[in-house]
Amino acid sequence: EAGRTARGTNIVNILPLEQGEQVTAMMLLREFREDEYLMMVTRNGTVKRLRLTEINTARKAGIRALSLEEGDELISVSRTNGNDNIIIGSHEGMAICFNENDVRPMGRDAAGVRGIKLDEGDYVVGADIAAPGSCLLTVTEKGYGKRTECVEYMRLGEDGQERVPQKRGGKGLKNYNITAKTGAVAGVRMVTEDNDVMLISSDGTIIRMPAKDINIYKRDTQGVIVMRVEEGSKVISIEKVDADKEDEAETETNPEISEEA
């Protein structure tokens, strides 16, 4: 246990990581339930669904949960309840939303199946659980961003009225109107009105703001400026955190949010 500004312990003192390996996700587990799963998504658009009980081990060195192809890397890991909808966003502004049951549970050594079909040069920048009441936050490398309601990523069902998830493996739908002004997509996260958002740029600048302060727009719009990025820098990562009311006075937010759609 350490204070907020403490450096902490190097992770290699806790986990025997290999050279060049880094932590992708961390989650708290009280028990390994039979009806819960891990949904893993890679940079190249591969997805894998693994029963939580498959990783129940006391081995300090851990166990392999995913076999990666050469040049691929793990981007996202989510804990699902067996019937969650998953949304994946790409660098070039595409997104797909499908139900996790489109992916059968696999063994630990399996490589997974295609989650999204990517154009040449495109890659996955984020994935999350599309929970009811949440919106997809998309932020671009030049500091533009927007929230979009989940229903925008659904297709019409057989009755022509009800919105249902797409099927995995397709190209998905256009998620962002990318231009030279906005830059490509840096990251996506599902957020609620109760979340704060942290934006990190390549020059080391970090800002924090309430997710509800970012406007809601349709899928194929440009959004608004959520972070002023210095020339030569770009947004490299976004993360959602629970709103901390005690630190509200210390929170750095961006007062200059453009109304440019």
Side-chain angles (χ1 to χ4, degrees):
E1 185 174 354
R4 181 170 58 86
T5 59
R7 179 174 295 181
T9 302
N10 194 315
I11 195 70
V12 298
N13 295 326
I14 303 170
L15 298 173
L17 299 180
E18 298 177 3
Q19 184 70 27
E21 192 176 10
Q22 62 185 26
V23 174
T24 297
M26 179 180 69
M27 57 194 67
L28 174 66
L29 296 176
R30 298 295 186 188
E31 57 182 331
F32 291 86
R33 295 169 55 98
E34 283 280 355
D35 58 350
E36 291 187 332
Y37 301 82
L38 293 182
M39 180 66 77
M40 292 172 274
V41 183
T42 76
R43 176 185 172 95
N44 291 345
T46 297
V47 297
K48 180 179 176 180
R49 188 174 175 225
L50 183 69
R51 289 187 187 278
L52 210 52
T53 52
E54 289 279 336
I55 59 168
N56 188 0
T57 179
R59 291 179 55 191
K60 184 177 179 181
I63 54 177
R64 178 167 295 282
L66 172 67
S67 294
L68 288 168
E69 295 182 355
E70 186 71 28
D72 203 358
E73 64 179 285
L74 187 61
I75 294 294
S76 168
V77 183
S78 300
R79 179 182 174 186
T80 66
N81 64 15
N83 196 39
D84 280 324
N85 291 329
I86 308 299
I87 194 161
I88 301 174
S90 83
H91 183 252
E92 297 301 321
M94 300 299 291
I96 191 168
C97 179
F98 58 88
N99 188 271
E100 67 171 289
N101 287 298
D102 274 358
V103 184
R104 61 175 178 80
M106 304 174 195
R108 291 190 293 104
D109 292 330
V113 294
R114 177 185 288 173
I116 184 172
K117 185 178 181 181
L118 299 167
D119 289 335
E120 186 174 354
D122 198 6
Y123 56 90
V124 172
V125 293
D128 212 338
I129 296 174
S134 59
C135 291
L136 182 68
L137 170 67
T138 306
V139 178
T140 71
E141 293 177 340
K142 293 189 177 180
Y144 281 74
K146 64 183 175 72
R147 289 184 295 149
T148 305
E149 295 177 339
C150 286
V151 69
E152 292 276 327
Y153 304 94
M154 305 286 187
R155 58 181 174 83
L156 286 175
E158 294 181 358
D159 60 3
Q161 296 183 357
E162 183 183 7
R163 291 280 179 172
V164 297
Q166 306 165 54
K167 294 295 184 181
R168 71 156 183 87
K171 295 189 67 172
L173 300 170
K174 188 175 183 180
N175 175 43
Y176 211 96
N177 182 20
I178 293 175
T179 65
K181 179 176 64 177
T182 66
V185 175
V188 298
R189 288 289 187 278
M190 295 302 303
V191 297
T192 68
E193 297 278 309
D194 297 325
N195 290 138
D196 281 357
V197 179
M198 299 185 74
L199 309 178
I200 303 99
S201 67
S202 57
D203 63 2
T205 302
I206 300 177
I207 66 169
R208 178 173 176 170
M209 69 183 69
K212 63 184 179 182
D213 285 357
I214 301 174
N215 293 350
I216 296 177
Y217 289 114
K218 298 289 187 180
R219 284 188 294 104
D220 56 351
T221 56
Q222 290 184 13
V224 297
I225 295 176
V226 294
M227 182 177 188
R228 302 286 180 181
V229 182
E230 296 293 331
E231 185 70 28
S233 298
K234 62 181 181 180
V235 177
I236 59 172
S237 181
I238 68 173
E239 193 56 70
K240 67 178 177 182
V241 294
D242 292 334
D244 191 344
K245 301 189 184 306
E246 292 183 3
D247 287 348
E248 218 167 59
E250 302 176 27
T251 298
E252 180 184 359
T253 60
N254 189 349
E256 301 180 36
I257 295 185
S258 165
E259 293 300 324
E260 181 179 335

